[in-house]
Amino acid sequence: MKKFNIIDFVIISCILFVLIIGVTILNRGPIDLFPDKVKIELLAEIAAQDKYILEKIGNDEIYLSVDNINEAQITDVKLEPTQILVFDKNIEAYKMVDSISGKYNAYLTIQMEAIDTDKHFLVGDTQIKVGAPIFIKSKEYNTKAYILEMEVIQ
């Protein structure tokens, strides 16, 4: 039987070092076994939809994934007519006017628990950051919204 010597130790140490560096590079940062969870509040916009579709959205529990595991809570919904920027030749300037098509924007206030990372927040595998789209799923509707504002409330 062969004895364990210093050369075996050096080889095993090198292999472990390469594995740790590889996992760190692929993970794009240090591995955190106990991530910090925070409660965040988002303001998200669903743009240019028909009013009858947006009226189904209420203060209810939603999911941010197809498999119904990443939960969030809608706490407020505001509907506003969609406005577009139009150039007016008479005054030679741009002005905001209501959309001719009768579409509305919904502004949703959403609260959820997320994992705080260096670059963004995570809810399951969904990245939560301003400007990013999120998919909202409920029993009655399924839509995409864009995050306008975000605040840590815990």
Side-chain angles (χ1 to χ4, degrees), residues 26-45:
L26 290 176
N27 195 30
R28 301 204 191 320
I31 299 172
D32 193 3
L33 297 177
F34 302 104
D36 296 332
K37 286 198 171 193
V38 294
K39 191 167 187 177
I40 59 174
E41 184 173 80
L42 309 175
L43 177 64
E45 176 190 37

Side-chain angles (χ1 to χ4, degrees), residues 1 3 11 15 25 28 36 39 41 47 72 133 139 146:
M1 186 167 148
K3 290 186 178 181
I11 291 171
I15 291 172
I25 290 171
R28 301 204 191 320
D36 296 332
K39 191 167 187 177
E41 184 173 80
K139 292 178 183 176
Y146 288 90

Side-chain angles (χ1 to χ4, degrees), residues 113-124:
E113 201 169 88
I115 295 172
D116 188 7
T117 66
D118 292 338
K119 298 178 184 177
H120 50 264
F121 294 97
L122 282 175
V123 177

Side-chain angles (χ1 to χ4, degrees), residues 9-142:
F9 177 76
V10 170
I11 291 171
I12 291 172
S13 298
C14 289
I15 291 172
L16 286 175
F17 179 75
V18 169
L19 284 174
I20 290 171
I21 294 296
V23 167
T24 302
I25 290 171
L26 290 176
N27 195 30
R28 301 204 191 320
I31 299 172
D32 193 3
L33 297 177
F34 302 104
D36 296 332
K37 286 198 171 193
V38 294
K39 191 167 187 177
I40 59 174
E41 184 173 80
L42 309 175
L43 177 64
E45 176 190 37
I46 302 171
Q49 293 289 325
D50 291 323
K51 189 173 183 178
Y52 73 91
I53 295 172
L54 297 176
E55 286 176 338
K56 294 180 181 181
I57 300 173
N59 296 352
D60 54 356
E61 224 173 73
I62 57 170
Y63 300 101
L64 303 178
S65 65
V66 178
D67 49 6
N68 296 350
I69 56 171
N70 303 326
E71 295 181 8
Q73 178 72 36
I74 295 177
T75 58
D76 189 30
V77 179
K78 290 187 174 100
L79 297 180
E80 293 181 5
T82 300
Q83 292 188 327
I84 55 176
L85 193 62
V86 177
F87 185 76
D88 189 347
K89 291 181 182 179
N90 296 329
I91 60 173
E92 295 184 358
Y94 287 96
K95 66 178 182 178
M96 296 294 287
V97 296
D98 288 349
S99 173
I100 299 169
S101 60
K103 303 286 185 180
Y104 283 79
N105 295 342
Y107 296 95
L108 312 174
T109 304
I110 305 170
Q111 290 184 357
M112 65 192 70
E113 201 169 88
I115 295 172
D116 188 7
T117 66
D118 292 338
K119 298 178 184 177
H120 50 264
F121 294 97
L122 282 175
V123 177
D125 59 352
T126 304
Q127 292 184 8
I128 305 294
K129 54 185 173 181
V130 174
I134 56 172
F135 295 95
I136 298 172
K137 182 180 177 187
S138 171
K139 292 178 183 176
E140 297 184 19
Y141 55 88
N142 187 4

